[in-house]
Amino acid sequence: MNQITLNDGNTIPQLGFGTFRLEAAEAEAAVNEALEAGYRHIDTASIYGNEREVGRAIASSGIPRDELFVTTKLWDDKHTQAHQALEESLDKLGLDHVDLYLIHWPNPPANTFLTAWEGLIELREEKLTRSIGVSNFLPEHLSRIIDATSVAPAVDQVELHPQFQPTDVLDYAAEHSIAIEAWGPLGQGKYPLFDAAPVTAAARAHEVTPAQVVLRWHLQRNRIIFPKSRKPSRIRENFDVFGFELTEQELAAIDAMNKGEEGRVSSHPNKRVSH
Ligand code: NAD
């Protein structure tokens, strides 16, 4: 498994398993399946409501804790109570620390994300999380927390797939050594992504599936990904992406699928209303 070294010196498996919209027994079964298939990096969040099930799957796997990388996230309504929120998440997960704790959204109207970031810095000092980062932060949010604290997040987890490649965020992150985690790496299945010519041509050439081509594109572009599926066959398919390599022309053809804002499948971080 490829590992990416973060700006704090910690490493993260480049390919993990996402758990958004996996609930209750379904979440536990899917994480069990993922761990059996070889995934060692799990991405969850307090708002997903499945930390307890993720924790149960981790416990029953018997995999040593130091071989696993677990991420969870601070929800909007807890920006000023990060300590309490992480303790609650750890309790549900059955862990004494996570590997990565993220501010889930900047939620700019509340004007609390800087307080949240200061809280995460303390949580890292207390070793309740090994690394800290953010999610859905635009350059204006990143510069605000970096200017105020001189601590750059280890990652920014943002929507990113062939039809939506936010170049402003990618450029800012590269300049500040912030690793990019691509959420919705398969476009959440909302676009005809798998029928696009650059994807189908590469799939034919390498005798792999369109989903595997898109995941491989992310990996070769140095992004951290954690595709989600509830189907055992797809969970395994999405992990089987290390046996082929896309050419530079194939990568460039997929880069060219970017539609800018029009390609976004979820909300713009500044327009999103917290629920
Ligand atoms: P995704 O791009 O991983 O798409 C998942 C969907 O793609 C599946 O439900 C299925 O319909 C389809 N799919 C999966 N594997 C397939 C395959 N092999 N072939 C064909 N179709 C396939 O979307 P996601 O789950 O939203 O994103 C991945 C993870 O990112 C989430 O599970 C979550 O952990 C994280 N995430 C974070 C945020 C955030 O705000 N930070 C938001 C959304 C998701």
Side-chain angles (χ1 to χ4, degrees):
M1 166 59 62
N2 285 7
Q3 303 275 333
I4 298 261
T5 300
L6 302 173
N7 63 16
D8 58 11
N10 292 330
T11 56
I12 180 171
Q14 196 182 359
L15 174 62
F17 185 68
T19 64
F20 182 40
R21 296 207 172 103
L22 293 178
E23 278 152 30
E26 183 181 59
E28 189 172 342
V31 176
N32 272 331
E33 186 69 34
L35 293 171
E36 263 177 43
Y39 292 80
R40 291 294 178 267
H41 164 185
I42 309 292
D43 183 90
T44 183
S46 54
I47 198 71
Y48 300 169
N50 60 17
E51 289 172 307
R52 214 172 280 288
E53 288 75 17
V54 168
R56 272 197 219 119
I58 288 173
S60 66
S61 75
I63 298 166
R65 175 68 184 90
D66 62 1
E67 290 176 22
L68 290 171
F69 191 103
V70 181
T71 299
T72 194
K73 312 187 191 90
L74 175 70
W75 189 242
D76 300 359
D77 60 355
K78 293 283 172 62
H79 276 187
T80 58
Q81 299 150 64
H83 197 284
Q84 183 201 334
L86 180 53
E87 291 281 13
E88 283 170 13
S89 287
L90 291 172
D91 183 55
K92 289 181 183 153
L93 287 162
L95 301 175
D96 63 6
H97 71 280
V98 286
D99 298 281
L100 179 60
Y101 196 42
L102 305 180
I103 302 175
H104 204 144
W105 288 88
N107 199 19
N111 197 23
T112 47
F113 67 80
L114 175 56
T115 306
W117 184 240
E118 290 164 346
L120 263 60
I121 294 170
E122 284 176 25
L123 290 168
R124 187 177 59 177
E125 283 162 9
E126 293 173 52
K127 304 201 186 316
L128 293 176
T129 179
R130 297 183 71 229
S131 293
I132 53 175
V134 296
S135 180
N136 300 301
F137 272 44
L138 301 173
E140 70 214 56
H141 311 129
L142 291 166
S143 64
R144 174 125 184 257
I145 60 170
I146 295 171
D147 290 351
T149 65
S150 302
V151 180
V155 310
D156 191 2
Q157 182 179 126
V158 294
E159 177 180 342
L160 171 57
H161 41 82
Q163 286 105 340
F164 181 66
Q165 303 169 46
T167 43
D168 54 343
V169 176
L170 300 182
D171 291 348
Y172 186 97
E175 277 164 32
H176 292 79
S177 304
I178 299 168
I180 288 290
E181 295 195 328
W183 69 250
L186 297 172
Q188 297 189 322
K190 288 182 190 165
Y191 276 99
L193 176 58
F194 300 145
D195 297 332
V199 174
T200 54
R204 271 196 306 276
H206 296 277
E207 298 182 3
V208 295
T209 66
Q212 288 172 319
V213 166
V214 173
L215 297 175
R216 186 71 211 173
W217 169 79
H218 283 288
L219 296 177
Q220 288 184 231
R221 289 296 189 228
N222 289 321
R223 284 144 202 167
I224 299 159
I225 48 171
F226 22 83
K228 187 276 303 284
S229 176
R230 40 176 68 79
K231 295 190 183 156
S233 61
R234 284 180 172 175
I235 291 173
R236 286 173 191 271
E237 174 186 328
N238 295 347
F239 195 67
D240 183 17
V241 288
F242 295 97
F244 68 103
E245 185 143 347
L246 299 174
T247 64
E248 194 46 52
Q249 286 98 317
E250 288 167 336
L251 293 170
I254 299 174
D255 291 341
M257 289 169 62
N258 187 13
K259 293 181 178 168
E261 275 303 318
E262 201 192 312
R264 214 186 254 286
V265 298
S266 185
S267 338
H268 185 287
N270 277 342
K271 293 185 188 141
R272 177 183 155 279
V273 179
S274 181
H275 51 271

